[in-house]
Amino acid sequence: MKTSDILIIGGGIAGMSAAYFLAKRGRSVTVLEREDQPGYHSTGRSAALYSETYGPQIIRKMSTASREFFLNPPEGFTENPILTPRGVILTAAHGNEGAIDELLTEGRANGANVVPLTADDIKKLIPILNTDLIACGALETDAMDIDVHALHWGFIRHFKKLGGDLVVKADVTAIAKTTAGWQVTAGGETYEAQILVNASGAWADEIAKLADVTPLGITPKRRTAVMVDLPSDVNAHGWHMVSDVGEGLYFKEDAGRLLVSPSDATPTMPHDVQPEELDIAITIDRLMTATTLKVNRPGEAWAGLRSFFADGDPVSAFDPDADGFYWLAGQGGYGIQTAPAMGEYAASLICGDGVPDRMVKLGVTEDALAATRPGLVRTA
Ligand SMILES: Cc1cc2nc3c(=O)[nH]c(=O)nc-3n(C[C@H](O)[C@H](O)[C@H](O)COP(=O)(O)OP(=O)(O)OC[C@H]3O[C@@H](n4cnc5c(N)ncnc54)[C@H](O)[C@@H]3O)c2cc1C
């Protein structure tokens, strides 16, 4: 039996960022990860974008609260910068101009650097776009690419340096409440801790059920990404990412090719999700409609799960009915860009210190991330 102060289930970006901040606070922490690679699921399948105009309000605040860590991580955290400039152009189809006005107003209110663009401006920046389909747009100049692998492994390496234990191939199969806290069976071993953190991504409700805790109604949604080769006369180096505000398509340059997604969000079960042929075909069709590109053969494709609660916001809070059971789930499509703040926030709440001051100043409240908020669908 291995005993720690805190057990975390899930070694993705959510679990590892919280583990790192808890270890920094001197807590003994064990992370249990089912796979042999901790980034195997959602964390290793993202589009790796940091945008302060993306997602619901609490996400935007947590993204802004993460910026400082991204730009000035602790000494030796990563070898190269975590963020590199990208910029994102948001485009609106005719009839959807209001979405750009809203984005400009809200983005600026949040401190993001966003400027309006005409269809002609957009054509000059991304010449392959069929801009007759675009009414207007906006450029978020400070949107960045995230080196997800470096960030995730920065958390892992520094967590281990602080004495933390990450156990891979540790599939959690049983959870029992004890007088001392929680007893967890994983990979044939038994682990015990006073506090159990559920950072199992798409499996968050499954883990709750194993622990006899009422699920909060998480829905994993499949999203597809496809790599596309560019013709030799198209040089996409330095292009901003392009994303339709109506969430029908986005693409960004990646090592001289395009990473393209139809922004699909198909509800599914928690599993090792794979891309569907139909979604790949839709991706290519939308790309060929939006641009002058002719794609004969798509490149490699993958799919990942973006997991949401009913109201679209994540939960980072103790369960109201299960002593010492902490939810850290529902990061949706924003779990990488919010990870530093979400990890710090979770560690602070778990240690009984409430919302960190710098997040209070950004308007982050415990209510927004609570497991008791009315927007959740608790299913006994
Ligand atoms: C196509 C796509 C594009 C995206 N683009 C972006 C983006 O540009 N920016 C951004 O910020 N976010 C993006 N996201 C979202 C981001 O990837 C997720 O929000 C984030 O990775 C969630 O992290 P997690 O740690 O909660 O989940 P995961 O990485 O899935 O980690 C959960 C872990 O729990 C483990 N686990 C589950 N059950 C058990 C068990 N019984 N025992 C032990 N371990 C268990 C799993 O093996 C898994 O490793 C994107 C996602 C997708 C799919």
Side-chain angles (χ1 to χ4, degrees):
M1 168 104 68
K2 175 162 175 141
T3 305
S4 332
D5 295 334
I6 297 153
L7 271 176
I8 298 180
I9 302 176
I13 199 79
M16 292 318 309
S17 55
Y20 164 77
F21 283 104
L22 283 162
K24 257 185 83 178
R25 286 168 164 265
R27 300 301 193 275
S28 69
V29 181
T30 302
V31 179
L32 301 173
E33 167 55 52
R34 177 203 288 141
E35 308 291 348
D36 53 6
Q37 285 299 322
Y40 180 74
H41 290 288
S42 302
T43 296
R45 306 182 192 200
S46 86
L49 188 77
Y50 173 84
S51 159
E52 287 173 273
T53 64
Y54 190 40
Q57 218 180 49
I58 185 64
I59 290 295
R60 295 179 197 194
K61 288 178 180 160
M62 289 313 232
S63 303
T64 298
S66 296
R67 180 179 269 273
E68 179 56 28
F69 186 96
F70 283 134
L71 295 178
N72 296 303
E75 182 76 28
F77 191 79
T78 54
E79 280 176 16
N80 299 311
I82 300 170
L83 298 184
T84 47
R86 167 66 63 183
V88 59
I89 295 173
L90 289 312
T91 64
H94 295 281
N96 200 16
E97 294 86 343
I100 294 291
D101 294 339
E102 208 175 296
L103 189 132
L104 286 165
T105 311
E106 285 190 14
R108 284 169 180 160
N110 211 33
N113 201 356
V114 269
V115 292
L117 296 176
T118 64
D120 285 346
D121 297 332
I122 296 170
K123 185 79 185 173
K124 281 184 201 134
L125 291 167
I126 313 287
I128 60 164
L129 276 173
N130 285 330
T131 41
D132 47 336
L133 300 173
I134 296 173
C136 60
L139 171 62
E140 183 188 346
T141 53
D142 296 339
M144 302 269 190
D145 279 342
I146 307 172
D147 186 337
V148 179
H149 185 78
L151 176 68
H152 190 208
W153 278 91
F155 282 131
I156 293 172
R157 267 199 316 274
H158 285 256
F159 166 65
K160 287 183 174 176
K161 267 192 199 161
L162 292 162
D165 196 9
L166 165 63
V167 190
V168 294
K169 299 182 193 165
D171 185 10
V172 172
T173 49
I175 303 174
K177 187 90 186 80
T178 64
T179 43
W182 297 90
Q183 199 176 82
V184 172
T185 309
E189 303 283 337
T190 307
Y191 300 84
E192 203 168 58
Q194 199 185 347
I195 291 170
L196 181 62
V197 178
N198 180 4
S200 59
W203 288 265
D205 276 353
E206 307 298 316
I207 289 296
K209 283 183 221 161
L210 270 186
D212 207 17
V213 171
T214 307
L216 296 183
I218 201 158
T219 305
K221 295 184 178 174
R222 184 178 68 238
R223 176 152 289 187
T224 309
V226 185
M227 295 304 297
V228 169
D229 289 335
L230 285 167
S232 54
D233 60 341
V234 175
N235 179 4
H237 183 71
W239 277 3
H240 303 300
M241 179 166 164
V242 176
S243 180
D244 161 31
V245 275
E247 295 229 27
L249 179 78
Y250 68 76
F251 63 83
K252 76 170 184 178
E253 181 266 339
D254 186 339
R257 306 166 80 202
L258 288 188
L259 183 165
V260 192
S261 172
S263 302
D264 47 336
T266 312
T268 181
M269 305 296 287
H271 69 296
D272 183 2
V273 64
Q274 299 301 320
E276 302 275 324
E277 287 300 323
L278 180 62
D279 291 331
I280 297 173
I282 290 171
T283 309
I284 299 306
D285 181 57
R286 289 189 187 168
L287 180 70
M288 294 206 319
T289 304
T291 67
T292 54
L293 294 175
K294 299 278 167 277
V295 182
N296 296 324
R297 193 146 41 97
E300 65 274 24
W302 68 94
L305 297 176
R306 300 157 78 247
S307 297
F308 294 88
F309 292 110
D311 60 7
D313 291 342
V315 173
S316 183
F318 280 107
D319 189 275
D321 304 321
D323 201 23
F325 187 96
Y326 193 92
W327 289 86
L328 180 54
Q331 290 84 346
Y334 333 99
I336 313 291
Q337 65 177 39
T338 55
M342 289 293 284
E344 185 187 342
Y345 176 98
S348 186
L349 256 71
I350 289 167
C351 294
D353 292 334
V355 183
D357 282 349
R358 60 188 202 83
M359 297 184 202
V360 171
K361 286 188 189 125
L362 289 169
V364 175
T365 62
E366 277 191 48
D367 284 352
L369 293 165
T372 48
R373 55 179 201 257
L376 299 171
V377 182
R378 291 170 71 88
T379 45

